[in-house]
Amino acid sequence: MTAASASVSPSVSAWVHLRVAQLADTNIAPWQEGYLKDRPSAVAALARLRRGAGREAGELPDLWNLIDVDPLHAPPEGMPPLSEHELYHAENALHATLTLWAFHQQSRGTPMHRRHTRDRPAGLGAAVRRLMSADGVDEPVRKRLVRAGTAPDLVSLTQRLRDLVALLRRDDIPLDYALLAGQFYLWQRPGGPAAVRRRWGRSFHERGRNRPSAPDENTTQDPTQDPVPDTDKDAS
């Protein structure tokens, strides 16, 4: 734990967590719509995003004017500007999310980003569970999720998740990338990896059925609680 990470207040962390999730959703939405309508600008944007996979935010100049991070520099009234440390974590989380989504959406004719709801779980664990039969657990797939959860840093995490996302893409299984973005941010905080692993584990056992009303931890509302047809348009 660094002094910088330890000094971030829970209220700032909660705001950044929520803002990163919102930015993932607002960045993806127009690209996804445009891509599914075969708009050249959206197809080109996804190709650029994919080239940024496995890199840190800011490492690829081609993405500097593509990913909108301006809202991170405009905290609400009464909150001080984010430190360089928090901006670094937030921008890396957003970058990792968008590049992974672009890989997931490649050559898919249906949206691969879908928001999580209680009746239609779309967290990472729930999505991975959909790769398996209803009456059994595919151990090799489950072990990929477990291995991803032991990644030493965010870049390694996204590289390991890429294998799982390839399987999700194959089966047209969507994922809530706004939810994942918030978890990527949380992952970089003290105690974050363990908290995210717990959320993935609980998500893995979710079912899309009615349940008693209770807080749904696979959302971005309270981040402090648990430190169809293929196309060839993506040849680039």
Side-chain angles (χ1 to χ4, degrees):
M1 181 188 305
T2 66
S5 62
S7 64
V8 178
S9 71
S11 61
V12 171
S13 175
W15 180 82
V16 179
H17 182 287
L18 182 60
R19 182 60 99 186
V20 167
Q22 291 170 335
L23 283 175
D25 191 48
T26 56
N27 273 275
I28 288 174
W31 288 330
Q32 184 163 264
E33 179 184 8
Y35 182 85
L36 295 175
K37 293 180 178 179
D38 207 16
R39 293 174 183 157
S41 60
V43 174
L46 265 72
R48 291 167 64 187
L49 287 168
R50 289 195 300 272
R51 287 194 288 271
R55 300 169 183 261
E56 290 192 349
E59 187 176 337
L60 201 63
D62 186 46
L63 300 184
W64 289 354
N65 65 343
L66 184 63
I67 299 176
D68 180 16
V69 297
D70 287 349
L72 292 172
H73 297 265
E77 186 176 355
M79 181 179 292
L82 297 185
S83 67
E84 285 297 318
H85 186 84
E86 280 304 294
L87 284 170
Y88 174 79
H89 283 174
E91 291 173 1
N92 272 338
L94 187 60
H95 173 91
T97 301
L98 298 181
T99 55
L100 196 62
W101 164 76
F103 171 71
H104 194 171
Q105 188 63 61
Q106 182 181 14
S107 298
R108 297 293 90 190
T110 55
M112 291 296 102
H113 166 53
R114 176 175 64 76
R115 295 310 304 266
H116 165 89
T117 66
R118 188 175 295 278
D119 293 330
R120 299 178 69 204
L124 179 63
V128 170
R129 186 66 180 86
R130 289 182 61 191
L131 292 167
M132 308 175 189
S133 64
D135 57 355
V137 173
D138 185 323
E139 276 300 309
V141 173
R142 188 191 69 83
K143 287 179 179 178
R144 288 190 184 191
L145 180 60
V146 171
R147 181 174 179 270
T150 64
D153 53 52
L154 185 60
V155 171
S156 299
L157 174 61
T158 55
Q159 290 171 344
R160 294 180 185 186
L161 287 179
R162 186 181 173 94
D163 292 339
L164 283 170
V165 169
L167 298 178
L168 298 177
R169 183 177 68 181
R170 179 197 66 190
D171 290 357
D172 280 329
I173 297 173
L175 191 59
D176 185 339
Y177 278 93
L179 177 62
L180 189 63
Q183 292 171 345
F184 280 167
Y185 167 73
L186 181 59
W187 183 275
Q188 300 169 88
R189 293 188 50 73
V196 173
R197 284 193 295 268
R198 285 193 292 272
R199 294 182 183 189
W200 289 350
R202 291 164 187 154
S203 172
F204 182 84
H205 295 288
E206 280 188 301
R207 295 289 185 274
R209 61 164 71 110
N210 292 329
R211 289 170 291 180
S213 179
D216 185 355
E217 65 182 6
N218 285 300
T219 69
T220 56
Q221 295 178 7
D222 189 4
T224 63
Q225 285 301 310
D226 205 21
V228 84
D230 290 353
T231 70
D232 60 0
K233 61 186 176 184
D234 294 291
S236 60

